[in-house]
Every structure is written in C-alpha cells, then in structure tokens.
Amino acid sequence: MTVASAPLEGVELDNAVIENALLGGKVRLLQPKTGYRAGMDAALLAASVAAKPGESVLEAGCGAGGVLTQIAARRPDTALVGIERDPMAADLARRNAMLNGWGHRISVLEGDVGQGFRPLGFPRADWAVSNPPFFDDEAALRPPSPAKRGAWIAEDGLAAWVRFLTDGVKDGGRTVIIHRADRLADILGLLGERCGSFSVRPVQPFAEAPAKRVLVHAVRGGRAPLRLLPALVLHDRSGAKHTPEAEAILTGAAGLDS
C-alpha cells in the first residue's frame, strides 16, 4: 500500500535532501539536493520495463531509486533489486522504497558493478536494466563535480556494465539500457556476445533533430531480427513542455513497451 500523504514537488527537507514527485504524483522520491538526480532518462527506462506479475527486475547502479520506484508503481506484484556502490545513495533508495510503501518489494544491495554480478551470490533476474554512466574517458568532457562523478564516469568502462547486466539476467530474460545515441554500435556489440532479438528506440529532442538517446532492449539468447522502433520525440514547437506522447509517459499514463 502506498503512503497516503500527497507527494510534494521540489520540497526541501534539510540541507542535503529534497523531495520530488514523479509519475504525476504516484511516486515520492527523496534525492540529493546537489549532485545527480533522476530525470527524463530514469523515467524512460522505467517506462520500457514490461515486467509481468511475479517477475523480478535487477537494476545496476540504482542511485536513490528513481527507476526502481517508478517500475514498482507501473508494475505491481514485481520484485525489484537495486545494486549501488554509494552507501548514501543506497540508503536513500531504501528510504524511498519505504516512503512509497514498497519496502517488501524493493531490496537495495551495496555492490560495485565493476566487481561483477556473480560475487553478489544473488539469483539472476527476469529483467536487468541500467542507465550506465555516459562516459568512460574523463578526457572526453569537462570534469564533473565530485557529487556527479560517479553518475557520469564509468570507471570500469561500458563493457563492465553490460557484462554485469547479461550475467544478472536469466536465459530468455530481458535487458534494457538507455544511453547516448552515439554509443549504439558499442552497446549492440557488447550485448551481442550473449543477447539478441534487439529492439532499438531512438529518443529525439525534436522531430527534426538527431537522436540524443537510445533505448536498447535485448533478450539473452534471443535470435529474432533487430527491430528499429518509432522514435520518441520529447518536444515540439507548440510551447508545451513536452509532446503529448512524452507527457503521457512521464505521468505514467503510457509506457514504452518494446
């Protein structure tokens, strides 16, 4: 059962934590006041997980639980596990699970993706998902603030994140990744060592603009041909904050099932 009190958008709780409302108020999320906070990418990743009742979902690098809590709201009767190496973020994720009444469904373990999935000694999941750090070469961008470094820099490289996901998902299970569009070839190559049946959805800021993100869906052991799905366009020139399609996804009225 969810907590009855209404979620508050952008309410500062103390010097370190702020509370935000996600999915049109269906989810309350405590996040760091400074540093990385869940946004559009987390919402799109959660909307892409079509887990059925009784299935399990594993997230690599769950942070404060922005993806886990949105999946929990969208997909009742699923069990979710987040892996997070930052103890403070992991603690926030646990607090958010309890805040929304999902402490019995969401577990958060402290662990390092770079150390691999198997040392955790945890059962493989039906779904393995992640929004990996976008860069693995600090020379490729202006150094991020210390509070955001872990979310931006994949110290062990993208390959370690993909390997963690494919180790952590069952045969026939599904992996979903959201990442930079210019890393699509790398993602497909890495996933292709164990997975197939790819679905790729470009995410474009405007209809006439190149995609900045891709959502990649794969099946461990899958052999179906790759499918290029219709692009999701986030904004138009009408003056509205988002396109109707994007707004429906952000409020939980629609999903992004592959």
Side-chain angles (χ1 to χ4, degrees):
M1 182 176 66
T2 57
V3 177
S5 55
L8 302 174
E9 179 62 35
V11 174
E12 185 176 335
L13 302 179
D14 55 41
N15 291 332
V17 177
I18 192 169
E19 180 179 333
N20 297 110
L22 306 180
L23 282 184
K26 299 179 183 70
V27 171
R28 301 173 66 182
L29 192 72
L30 305 178
Q31 304 194 85
K33 185 179 177 183
T34 60
Y36 177 80
R37 293 198 293 271
M40 179 70 75
D41 291 345
L44 298 183
L45 180 59
S48 301
V49 177
K52 299 175 183 177
E55 290 189 331
S56 56
V57 181
L58 168 72
E59 185 190 2
C62 70
V67 174
L68 291 174
T69 51
Q70 291 185 80
I71 296 174
R74 286 176 171 276
R75 300 291 171 179
D77 302 319
T78 54
L80 303 104
V81 177
I83 308 299
E84 176 55 52
R85 72 175 183 177
D86 181 345
M88 293 182 64
D91 181 64
L92 270 181
R94 296 186 190 102
R95 290 173 62 188
N96 283 319
M98 297 297 294
L99 179 65
N100 289 281
W102 297 320
H104 63 296
R105 294 176 54 201
I106 298 176
S107 301
V108 179
L109 307 178
E110 290 182 26
D112 191 333
V113 167
Q115 300 300 313
F117 174 79
R118 290 189 177 92
L120 296 174
F122 202 81
R124 292 192 293 168
D126 298 292
W127 292 75
V129 307
S130 188
N131 177 14
F134 282 167
F135 301 94
D136 45 26
D137 178 6
E138 292 198 57
L141 75 164
R142 185 174 64 185
S145 66
K148 293 185 178 181
R149 187 179 186 281
W152 282 88
I153 304 295
E155 294 176 352
D156 298 290
L158 182 59
W161 287 77
V162 173
R163 185 164 51 249
F164 186 96
L165 295 171
T166 56
D167 279 348
V169 73
K170 298 176 181 177
D171 292 336
R174 301 170 186 275
T175 293
V176 187
I177 296 174
I178 188 167
H179 210 277
R180 290 162 36 205
D182 62 358
R183 295 301 302 271
L184 177 58
D186 297 325
I187 294 168
L188 293 176
L190 292 166
L191 283 171
E193 295 178 10
R194 294 179 178 174
C195 300
S197 303
F198 296 112
S199 297
V200 178
R201 188 182 301 276
V203 181
Q204 301 173 204
F206 292 93
E208 70 275 15
K212 293 293 185 70
R213 299 282 187 270
V214 285
L215 280 156
V216 182
H217 181 291
V219 177
R220 178 164 170 146
R223 297 182 179 275
L226 183 148
R227 295 187 302 150
L228 184 60
L229 302 175
L232 172 64
V233 179
L234 300 178
H235 310 285
D236 56 28
R237 305 297 181 182
S238 68
K241 188 173 182 180
H242 302 108
T243 61
E245 182 183 11
E247 186 67 19
I249 292 165
L250 293 174
T251 58
L256 275 172
D257 302 354
S258 296

